[in-house]
């Protein structure tokens, strides 16, 4: 039997919605099998990672706080990906954004209040954008591949972080532990009473709708979509490719910087060497799982946040390492990427006795 | 700064360079075939744990290296299945592979924490490395010599063999390679598997040679440096060797800056160690910019790098 | 919730609980739940491993009244907050956090759960329901330094540090002061790797120290990586937190073993008795919290005797390595002849004594 792919004239709408859900479900199913194979209670692990955070109400605030940066960064990245601009350095832009916010906070000294907070957040957006502007210059002026340059700049950002929190930004009263001084109460974002849910979560809830409106109603949104879908046609249509690169990277970087500033002023209140926790990379999964659609990104951000929080639950209950949640996150991304084929193609099975040579795809982890 | 100090430094630098050289050689071949696999870090971690696990179980580090190569290659084939057979996005799939490998290695590693493995014997009779000059040439782990040999093998393969020519053709212009009758996907599968095996051995260098034990995320980001290295070397095997040593020098400088050991270099004492740590990445961006300036459109980078193969059928 | 509890209970109580009858669930609710949050994996054979031994000692001593839950690999950042909160919500009445970097997180969660008792290891911020505990590791470091002063041929020693926090500064100073009593010319090269547990970085830093002329390296990081490098080079070093001789039988001279069991049992008992109060506890060699591992046969008998003398001095209260005169790296007299630095000064120490070379 052979499998034949027929290109669909238009991407399947149904498949666009069905495949992400199927990817999550398939991940859960495969997770049970893989974990059982490794001698761990797979059912328990999958329940704790995917369901406990949703069923235990005291976990909701953790999910909300984790989801906020993922959604915000994911939104920015989805714009770039739509325009075929590959910013994979959001992690670095996130870190630089937070550091810029911290710089403003340190400069403000003991002064607090809404203005200082607003200034910190603005600094975060500008900082994240500026960090992405370097790859933008390199791309538009010299044609430097932005995948590689944004990735490299992420690792430069981590060193900037290490230098600043261990040096100029170090808390003078922190007994030399490399971390910034914790923000005072009036320098942090307001919280929902009796929770750790900060204003940044509200921002993450509103922004997707704003982006949706922007993408579907504005010339800019049209430009992004056209440039991404057909660069040559776009040039004929009068859209400037370089301008799109700039916009895509600045928005991606600015949003990552915003997320960093919100995480700093809302959730963490201090920056230490553990600040970069991979949100910038996970947000790439969020963008794809959300099918690069703002509302999809919102939902996907919550799903990924659930796996993070669930990963911690599983750490206490089945004693699997924290990084294990990554197995599930990666599997979701694998499946969603692979399922693109169902969106773009119609799959036909053609009976044939001659078995085509197909490379053996290993079952993940089995036998390793 | 005596001779002994210089020789000891060179020996350390070669040790630091070896894993990124191994992983870089693999990624070089992958990218030459037109595939960008950002999952090097993940494959290294899988190699580190499979290599360690096999050594624990068999008591033989050589079998461990084979296991590491197999583990790395298997995880690479998983990547290959998605990007080559299902045409999924290479950048995102590669990142997913890194996240996957990090998680899976931690999970498998659970039962190997705190275990002790037998180590490689010395490569040459110990008598040869009694004096400093002897140490400079004969004191390394067998994997170091293996990595060096692979530089020549890869360079020879890419430049002098028919298969190497085909591989490069597939990376430069997949459609014409296809029309001549070469199996683009088949070639890329082989390249990806080779890349995974080399990354796996690079990972095993951590768990079997540097510190013979298992610890979560023990390759600590070297996979990303290996990716930078391939670009820094502008996709040439010979330059990869030089580049790996250069990156090794930078990493050595970083550690010495931390230990206050750079007093012999004028002004270097006041440069923060983070500067040296950031240099490999900054230099890579500079090299990227230079390459792009020299040949706009880029003849150094394989033309099909990162793009899916979509033959008109 | 009920399910989660039972699960956690089984995981923590281990084999003994595997035969828990179905009624065990209800029974378990009556036991005092004690949570432990660890920085590294319990199999690091160092710091976290030692704390987990302490937890097992609680299980062994009070297992009929207490169940313990642990979480390992919890980073020293905000992700620790939900972990502490989780344990409190699962019903733990006493929670130990076993690394310096949990300080602000524990302060925050302790404020949220006033009826839960928290204990933070090596920290200095306290509250009514947040106690701190520490160990006078520096007493053990003085023993190691004494041995090192005799065993290092070049008199140049390496110290692999994590962060420049007081606990590490104390360890550095204690080690070199003790070494200088044996070899007045002894110096120490210090490198901070900005991590407690990072084997490749520890290994690379150890090599760097050796390249800089050190012929003996001691570590204030938690893995046996440095010892493995020393073993390969035929040099000496010490274990940290636990006996690490199995990783480096020749290089491992001895180790500081952290014995937390007695303290943990005492504090859990205090909660059971209702007598728990917030405090700042620093136990040392005399209390059995700091124990020196068996000596490597490579150490000559007279050196062993010197080391034992220091140990005995700490037990008897007749020896303190921080007895003046002590000069800092600038040559300023910091502690006058005959004076002893009080514990309160040690707790905030941020300067190095003469003979320490570092970029930090």
């Amino acid at each position: 039997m052979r499998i034949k792919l027929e290109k669909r004239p238009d991407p399947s709408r149904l498949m666009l919605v069905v495949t992400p859900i199927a990817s999550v479900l398939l991940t859960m199913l495969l997770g049970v099998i893989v974990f059982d194979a490794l001698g761990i209670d797979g059912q328990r692990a999958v329940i704790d990672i995917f369901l406990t955070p949703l069923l235990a109400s005291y976990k909701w605030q953790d999910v909300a706080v984790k989801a906020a940066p993922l959604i915000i960064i994911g939104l920015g990245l989805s714009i770039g990906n739509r325009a075929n601009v590959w910013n994979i350095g959001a992690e670095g832009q996130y870190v630089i954004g937070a550091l810029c916010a911290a710089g403003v906070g340190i400069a403000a000294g003991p002064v607090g209040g809404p203005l200082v907070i607003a200034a910190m957040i603005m600094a975060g957006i500008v900082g994240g954008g500026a960090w992405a502007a370097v790859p933008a210059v390199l791309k538009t002026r010299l044609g430097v591949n932005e995948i590689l340059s944004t990735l490299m700049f992420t690792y430069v950002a981590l060193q900037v972080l290490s230098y600043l929190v261990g040096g100029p930004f170090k808390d003078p009263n922190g007994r030399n532990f490399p971390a910034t001084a914790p923000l005072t109460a009036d320098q942090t974002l307001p919280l929902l009473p009796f929770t750790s849910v900060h204003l940044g979560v509200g921002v993450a809830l509103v922004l997707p709708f704003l982006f949706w409106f922007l993408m579907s109603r504005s010339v800019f949104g049209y430009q992004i979509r056209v440039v991404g879908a057909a660069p040559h046609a776009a040039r004929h249509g009068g859209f400037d490719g370089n301008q799109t690169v700039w916009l895509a990277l600045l928005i991606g970087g600015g949003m990552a910087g915003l997320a960093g500033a919100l995480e700093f002023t809302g959730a963490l209140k201090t920056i230490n060497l553990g600040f970069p926790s991979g949100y910038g990379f996970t947000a790439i999964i969020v963008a794809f799982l959300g099918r690069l659609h703002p509302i999809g990104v919102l939902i996907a951000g919550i799903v990924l946040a659930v796996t993070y929080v669930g990963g911690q639950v599983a750490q206490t209950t089945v004693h699997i390492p924290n990084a294990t949640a990554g197995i599930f996150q990666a599997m979701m991304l694998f499946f969603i990427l692979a399922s693109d084929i169902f969106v773009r193609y119609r799959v036909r099975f053609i009976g044939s006795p001659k078995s085509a040579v197909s490379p053996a795809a290993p079952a993940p982890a089995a036998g390793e | 700064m005596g001779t002994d100090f210089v020789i000891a430094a060179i020996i350390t630098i070669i040790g630091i360079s070896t894993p990124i050289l191994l992983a870089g050689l693999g990624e070089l071949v992958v990218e030459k075939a037109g595939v960008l696999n950002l999952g090097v870090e993940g494959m290294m971690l899988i190699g580190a744990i499979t290599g360690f696990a096999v050594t624990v179980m068999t008591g033989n580090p050589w079998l461990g290296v084979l296991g590491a190569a197999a583990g790395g290659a298997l995880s690479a084939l998983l990547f290959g299945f998605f990007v080559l057979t299902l045409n999924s996005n290479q950048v995102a799939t590669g990142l997913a592979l890194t996240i996957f490998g990090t998680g899976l290695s931690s999970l498998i590693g659970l039962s190997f924490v705190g275990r002790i493995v037998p180590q490689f014997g010395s490569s040459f009779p110990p008598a040869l490395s009694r004096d400093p000059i002897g140490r400079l040439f004969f004191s390394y782990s067998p994997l170091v010599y293996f990595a060096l040999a692979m530089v020549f093998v890869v360079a020879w393969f890419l430049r002098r063999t028919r298969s190497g020519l085909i591989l490069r053709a597939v990376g430069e212009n997949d459609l014409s390679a296809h029309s001549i009758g070469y199996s683009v996907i088949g070639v890329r599968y082989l390249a990806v598997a080779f890349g995974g095996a080399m990354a796996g051995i690079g990972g095993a260098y951590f768990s079997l040679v540097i510190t013979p034990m298992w610890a979560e995320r023990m390759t600590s980001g070297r996979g990303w440096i290996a990716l930078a290295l391939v670009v820094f070397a502008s996709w040439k095997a010979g330059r990869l060797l030089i580049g790996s040593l250069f990156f090794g020098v930078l990493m050595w400088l970083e550690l010495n800056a931390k230990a206050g050991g750079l007093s012999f270099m004028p002004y270097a004492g006041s440069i923060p160690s983070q500067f040296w740590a950031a240099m490999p990445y900054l230099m890579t961006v500079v090299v990227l910019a230079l390459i792009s300036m020299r040949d706009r459109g880029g003849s150094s980078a394989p033309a099909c790098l990162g793009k899916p193969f979509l033959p008109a059928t | 919730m009920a399910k989660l509890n039972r699960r956690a209970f089984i995981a923590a109580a281990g084999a003994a609980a595997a035969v828990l009858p179905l009624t065990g669930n209800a029974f378990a609710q009556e036991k005092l739940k004690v949570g432990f949050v660890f920085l590294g994996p319990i199999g690091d054979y160092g710091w976290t491993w030692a704390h987990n031994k302490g937890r097992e000692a609680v299980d062994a001593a009070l297992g009929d009244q207490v169940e313990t839950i642990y979480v390992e690999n919890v980073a020293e950042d905000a992700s620790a907050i939900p972990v502490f909160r989780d344990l409190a919500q699962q019903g733990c009445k006493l929670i130990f956090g076993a690394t310096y970097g949990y300080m602000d997180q524990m302060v925050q969660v302790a404020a949220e759960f006033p009826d839960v008792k928290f204990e933070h290891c090596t920290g200095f911020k306290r509250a009514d329901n947040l106690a701190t505990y520490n160990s006078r590791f520096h007493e053990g470091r003085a023993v190691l330094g004494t041995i090192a002063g005799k065993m290092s041929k070049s008199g140049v020693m390496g110290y692999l540090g994590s962060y420049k926090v007081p606990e590490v500064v104390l360890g550095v100073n204690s080690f070199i002061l003790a070494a200088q009593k044996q070899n007045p010319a002894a110096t120490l090269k210090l490198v901070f790797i900005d991590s407690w547990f990072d084997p490749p970085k520890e290994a690379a830093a150890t090599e760097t120290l050796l390249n800089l002329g050190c012929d003996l390296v001691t570590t204030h990081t938690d893995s046996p990586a440095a010892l493995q490098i020393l073993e390969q080079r035929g040099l000496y070093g010490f274990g940290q937190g636990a006996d690490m001789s199995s990783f480096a039988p020749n290089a491992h001279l001895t180790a500081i073993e952290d014995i937390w069991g007695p303290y943990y049992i005492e504090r859990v008992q205090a909660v059971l008795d209702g007598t728990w109060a917030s405090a700042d506890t620093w136990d040392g060699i005399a209390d059995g919290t700091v124990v020196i591992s068996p000596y490597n046969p490579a150490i000559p008998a007279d050196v062993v005797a010197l080391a034992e003398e220091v140990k005995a001095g700490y037990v008897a209260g007749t020896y303190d390595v921080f007895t003046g005169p002590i000069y800092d790296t600038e040559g300023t007299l910091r502690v006058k002849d005959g004076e002893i630095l009080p514990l309160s000064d040690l707790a905030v120490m941020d300067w190095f004594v003469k003979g320490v070379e570092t970029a930090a």
Side-chain angles (χ1 to χ4, degrees):
Chain A
M1 193 178 78
R2 277 181 63 210
I3 299 170
K4 191 169 161 40
L5 299 177
E6 284 176 8
K7 198 165 173 77
R8 295 178 194 265
D10 290 307
S12 162
R13 291 242 159 195
L14 177 69
M15 283 298 173
L16 268 177
V17 178
V18 168
T19 47
I21 299 168
S23 298
V24 175
L25 294 177
L26 195 58
T27 299
M28 292 166 73
L29 183 71
L30 209 63
V32 175
I33 296 168
V34 170
F35 275 60
D36 277 341
L38 288 169
I40 292 158
D41 185 346
Q43 205 181 329
R44 186 72 226 172
V46 168
I47 286 173
D48 276 342
I49 290 178
F50 284 90
L51 297 178
T52 305
L54 292 172
L55 298 178
S57 58
Y58 66 91
K59 282 281 164 205
W60 293 348
Q61 51 173 330
D62 291 343
V63 172
V65 172
K66 283 266 178 212
L70 291 174
I71 293 167
I72 296 172
I73 303 172
L75 281 174
L77 294 184
S78 61
I79 299 273
N81 291 355
R82 280 200 168 212
N84 261 331
V85 177
W86 290 92
N87 173 9
I88 57 172
E91 182 80 358
Q93 294 141 17
Y94 167 85
V95 166
I96 295 294
L99 286 172
C100 288
V104 170
I106 290 167
V111 186
L115 274 179
V116 170
I117 296 174
M120 286 201 279
I121 290 169
M122 278 312 295
I125 298 173
V126 172
W131 204 249
V134 186
V137 171
L138 292 171
K139 169 88 175 175
T140 53
R141 289 287 170 82
L142 304 173
V144 171
N145 183 331
E146 79 279 11
I147 299 173
L148 298 168
S149 61
T150 52
L151 181 65
M152 295 304 129
F153 266 82
T154 293
Y155 290 92
V156 178
L158 298 186
Q159 296 306 324
V160 173
L161 167 85
S162 162
Y163 171 69
L164 286 177
V165 302
F169 283 14
K170 188 163 68 178
D171 180 2
N173 302 317
R175 305 203 183 177
N176 276 320
F177 197 68
T180 64
L183 293 173
T184 57
D186 59 351
Q187 287 176 330
T188 54
L189 294 179
L191 299 178
L192 219 61
F194 307 111
T195 69
S196 53
V197 177
H198 55 86
L199 190 65
V201 175
V203 174
L205 280 176
V206 173
L207 276 176
F209 295 94
L210 202 72
F211 268 69
W212 189 15
F213 184 79
L214 198 71
M215 284 302 284
S216 56
R217 292 294 147 84
S218 69
V219 178
F220 161 72
Y222 181 65
Q223 176 180 349
I224 288 284
R225 278 177 288 141
V226 170
V227 172
H232 293 293
R235 207 162 298 144
H236 287 299
F239 290 126
D240 178 0
N242 279 351
Q243 194 194 3
T244 315
V245 169
W246 269 103
L247 280 172
L249 281 169
L250 283 186
I251 292 173
M255 294 299 279
L258 170 66
L262 292 175
E263 187 74 1
F264 168 54
T265 54
L268 304 188
K269 301 173 186 83
T270 173
I271 300 177
N272 61 23
L273 294 173
F275 188 83
S277 47
Y279 284 140
F281 291 115
T282 312
I284 296 171
I285 305 182
V286 169
F288 275 96
L289 193 62
R291 288 266 174 233
L292 309 182
H293 187 285
I295 306 304
V297 167
L298 173 65
I299 297 167
I302 296 170
V303 172
L304 267 293
V306 163
T307 62
Y308 264 118
V309 174
Q312 275 172 354
V313 174
Q315 220 183 334
T316 41
T317 53
V318 278
H319 285 291
I320 49 179
N322 212 356
T324 310
I327 299 180
F328 291 98
Q329 294 169 352
M331 281 205 286
M332 278 190 272
L333 183 56
F334 281 144
F335 293 138
I336 193 74
L337 291 168
S339 70
D340 269 351
I341 211 159
F342 298 107
V343 177
R344 286 183 280 119
Y345 296 89
R346 195 169 281 136
V347 181
R348 285 275 170 81
F349 297 94
I350 301 162
S352 156
K354 197 176 152 196
S355 64
V357 183
S358 70
E368 281 187 14
Chain B
M1 206 162 78
T3 332
D4 283 3
F5 176 76
V6 174
I7 286 173
I10 292 172
I11 291 173
T12 301
I13 288 163
I14 288 174
I16 305 175
S17 307
T18 300
I20 57 172
L21 177 60
L22 284 165
L25 281 169
E27 181 68 12
L28 172 72
V29 171
V30 178
E31 294 190 11
K32 273 286 181 191
V35 180
L36 178 64
N37 185 353
L38 295 183
V40 180
E41 179 78 2
M43 298 189 295
M44 285 180 87
L45 281 167
I46 297 221
I49 186 59
T50 45
F52 190 79
V54 170
T55 310
V56 166
M57 289 184 288
T58 64
N60 184 337
W62 287 104
L63 290 176
V65 171
L66 282 181
L74 270 177
S75 60
L77 284 172
L78 178 71
F79 166 86
F81 175 69
F82 285 108
V83 303
L84 298 175
T85 300
L86 300 180
N87 264 331
S88 72
N89 179 286
Q90 294 184 7
V91 172
T93 310
L95 286 173
L97 180 60
T98 284
I99 300 172
F100 183 78
T102 308
L104 189 64
S105 59
S106 305
L107 195 61
I108 299 173
L110 268 185
S111 43
F112 291 98
V113 172
R115 301 290 287 271
I116 297 161
V117 289
Q119 298 178 34
F120 290 103
S122 44
S123 311
F124 295 97
L128 283 173
S129 35
R130 257 193 212 124
D131 60 302
I133 300 295
R135 269 202 296 282
L136 187 58
F137 291 101
F138 302 114
S139 67
Y140 306 98
S141 154
L143 285 186
V144 173
Y145 302 103
F146 171 74
L148 270 176
M150 285 309 284
V151 174
F152 294 100
V153 170
V154 167
W156 168 78
F157 169 81
L158 285 176
R159 246 189 269 151
R160 299 262 181 253
T161 65
R162 215 178 105 78
S163 311
L165 187 75
I166 296 169
L167 182 126
R168 281 188 292 143
V170 162
E172 287 299 337
N173 192 334
D174 50 9
L175 290 177
S176 51
H178 176 68
S179 65
I180 302 169
Y182 298 126
S183 164
V184 172
I185 298 296
V187 168
R188 287 187 175 167
Y189 258 110
L190 288 174
V192 163
F194 175 76
M198 291 297 282
I201 297 173
Y205 191 80
F206 285 92
S207 61
L208 296 179
V209 177
I210 301 182
T211 52
M213 63 175 169
W214 166 252
E216 261 187 59
R217 295 168 211 250
M218 73 182 306
T219 55
S220 55
R222 292 293 157 79
W224 301 108
I225 296 200
L227 274 167
L229 177 61
V230 176
V231 182
F232 182 80
S234 52
W235 294 273
K236 290 189 172 62
R239 289 189 200 171
L240 200 76
L241 174 62
I242 297 164
S244 73
L245 291 172
F246 179 65
F247 282 14
V249 169
L250 291 170
M251 288 186 264
W252 179 86
L253 283 169
E254 179 206 350
L255 284 162
N256 275 271
K258 278 195 164 133
L262 294 183
S263 44
F264 61 87
M265 282 168 69
Y267 309 112
S270 52
I271 296 173
S273 64
Q274 291 89 355
F275 172 80
W276 303 111
M279 278 302 274
Y281 306 106
L282 282 171
M283 297 294 291
T284 300
V285 174
V286 170
V287 168
L288 257 180
L290 288 175
I291 294 171
S292 309
M293 257 193 298
R294 195 186 61 205
D295 36 46
R296 298 221 36 145
S299 65
S300 301
C304 294
L305 187 59
K307 293 179 187 139
F309 171 59
L310 298 168
T313 41
Chain C
M1 269 304 281
K3 238 181 182 174
L4 206 71
N5 285 338
R6 201 167 80 84
R7 196 60 219 179
F9 170 70
I10 290 174
V19 287
L20 196 71
L22 277 173
T23 51
N25 193 9
F27 180 55
Q29 298 295 337
E30 293 158 25
K31 286 190 174 184
L32 174 72
K33 283 191 180 182
V34 181
F36 291 83
V37 182
F38 298 141
L39 170 71
I42 56 169
D44 69 356
Y45 280 83
W47 177 260
T48 297
W49 184 83
H51 279 279
N52 191 51
K53 284 279 161 210
R55 181 189 67 80
E56 287 172 3
V58 173
D59 275 342
L62 303 166
D64 51 336
Q65 305 167 66
V66 172
E67 64 170 279
T68 60
I69 304 174
Y70 72 93
V71 193
E72 57 186 329
N73 286 317
V74 177
E76 290 178 309
D77 56 32
S79 66
I81 294 175
V83 175
F84 281 104
R85 210 180 268 144
D86 240 36
L87 290 173
Q89 266 148 346
Q90 286 185 34
C92 290
K93 290 295 163 211
L94 175 64
I95 300 172
F96 294 93
T99 186
Y100 179 85
Y102 297 156
M103 185 154 60
D104 292 314
Q105 297 88 318
M106 291 188 75
V107 169
Q108 183 183 335
V109 179
E112 291 171 20
F113 295 91
D115 59 336
V116 177
K117 317 275 191 276
F118 292 83
E119 297 238 6
H120 180 214
C121 190
T122 70
F124 58 87
K125 293 184 182 169
R126 281 171 291 279
D128 283 346
N129 63 333
L130 172 61
T132 51
Y133 62 104
N134 204 337
S135 157
R136 294 186 216 169
F137 308 111
H138 59 271
E139 297 180 352
R141 300 252 168 219
V143 179
L144 304 192
T146 305
I147 298 170
K150 284 287 183 195
M151 297 298 285
S152 165
K153 290 193 187 76
S154 67
V156 184
M157 302 166 217
Y159 198 105
L160 189 58
S162 48
Y163 304 99
K164 198 185 162 190
V165 293
E167 179 208 321
V168 178
V169 174
L170 257 182
V172 170
N173 288 339
S174 179
F175 183 83
I176 187 65
L177 284 173
Q180 284 167 347
K181 287 194 190 352
Q182 305 307 327
N183 174 5
T187 57
L188 185 105
K189 290 185 190 294
L190 169 64
V191 56
F192 289 110
I193 64 160
D194 288 336
S195 172
W196 293 107
F197 185 81
D198 187 341
K201 224 172 174 180
E202 291 171 52
T206 305
E207 287 220 16
T208 307
L209 287 168
L210 297 181
N211 288 359
L212 290 173
C214 303
D215 67 347
L216 179 149
V217 175
T218 188
T219 62
H220 213 129
T221 51
D222 301 343
S223 91
L227 280 167
Q228 290 184 321
I229 298 294
L230 294 165
E231 182 85 8
Q232 289 166 16
R233 298 291 194 87
L235 297 169
Y236 293 126
F238 300 97
Q240 144 88 341
D243 187 331
M244 293 177 169
S245 53
S246 61
F247 287 91
N250 300 309
H252 187 273
L253 288 176
T254 181
I256 300 176
E257 292 180 34
D258 309 339
I259 307 297
W260 300 105
Y263 178 76
Y264 285 155
I265 292 168
E266 180 194 324
R267 299 301 278 178
V268 172
Q269 189 64 50
V271 172
L272 289 170
D273 298 344
T275 57
W276 189 96
S278 178
D280 182 27
T281 310
W282 283 61
D283 289 338
I285 288 181
D287 314 275
T289 302
V290 174
V291 170
I292 303 297
S293 299
Y295 298 105
N296 186 324
I299 308 176
D302 58 324
V303 180
V304 168
L306 285 169
E308 286 295 312
E309 225 171 89
V310 173
K311 254 170 73 177
Y314 271 118
V315 173
T318 54
Y319 178 94
D320 195 315
V321 75
F322 288 106
T323 308
I326 299 174
Y327 296 88
D328 66 13
T329 45
E330 307 292 317
T332 314
L333 182 68
R334 290 290 196 122
V335 185
K336 290 200 196 85
D337 196 5
E339 275 182 19
I340 295 175
L341 264 186
L343 208 53
S344 56
D345 283 7
L346 295 180
V348 295
M349 197 171 215
D350 63 353
W351 52 273
F352 293 109
V353 302
K354 200 177 73 185
V356 176
E357 295 166 25
T358 180

